[in-house]
Amino acid sequence: MLKNYLADDGPVLSEDNLNASSGVSGGRSHDLQLRLQQKTRQHEETEIRLQEVLLEKEDAESRSMMLNSELKRMRSARSPSSAEDASGRAVELERKLAEVEQMHRQKMAKLENDYHQAVNFAKTSERVIRRVQEELNKQKSANQSLQSDLDAARGVNTSEA
């Protein structure tokens, strides 16, 4: 997803371009590449965690709906002879439903918090990636400039000899 984003909206780096930028700033370029890979990996891990939390949310919702439907079924299936027994079961099911709903609310709050953290992390990662990309481009430009100066100096030295 991040590569698609960079391909659509930002400069695209290939291994050839990155390897061609060795020289004076080669160490700095390598560090920037490593940071970019690390941030990309962290972003992907965050997206995976977000998907897991969404699945947990769906599971909690389905359990809540199942208990709710069971409670409704139990209420509608009351027989006159076992009213006390059914009443006890209904109270127990209502208690379980309240517990599940409370757990669901807690999970939803955690999910929302995780979602906001993931969004914030993604935005921060994108900013860092953009800055790293800009720094990498600056280093490449400086490297090319130094390389052309070196080539020019070598050309002057060979003509003097």
Side-chain angles (χ1 to χ4, degrees), residues 64-77:
S64 174
M65 288 174 34
M66 181 183 69
L67 286 173
N68 206 3
S69 65
E70 187 176 337
L71 178 62
K72 287 179 183 177
R73 184 176 52 83
M74 293 297 289
R75 285 182 178 165
S76 66

Side-chain angles (χ1 to χ4, degrees), residues 40-52:
T40 302
R41 189 171 40 254
Q42 287 175 343
H43 181 70
E44 290 170 352
E45 290 171 357
T46 302
E47 286 182 353
I48 290 170
R49 177 63 182 134
L50 179 60
Q51 292 300 321
E52 291 171 353

Side-chain angles (χ1 to χ4, degrees), residues 28-43:
R28 175 78 174 139
S29 176
H30 181 69
D31 290 342
L32 292 173
Q33 289 172 351
L34 292 177
R35 284 181 53 200
L36 179 61
Q37 290 172 354
Q38 180 186 17
K39 291 298 180 182
T40 302
R41 189 171 40 254
Q42 287 175 343
H43 181 70

Side-chain angles (χ1 to χ4, degrees), residues 114-146:
D114 288 350
Y115 173 76
H116 290 298
Q117 285 178 347
V119 167
N120 186 34
F121 178 78
K123 287 179 182 178
T124 303
S125 294
E126 288 173 4
R127 284 192 301 263
V128 168
I129 288 170
R130 201 169 313 137
R131 279 191 232 128
V132 167
Q133 187 70 38
E134 289 170 1
E135 181 68 23
L136 181 61
N137 288 335
K138 286 179 189 177
Q139 292 296 325
K140 280 183 179 181
S141 176
N143 189 29
Q144 287 174 348
S145 175
L146 291 172

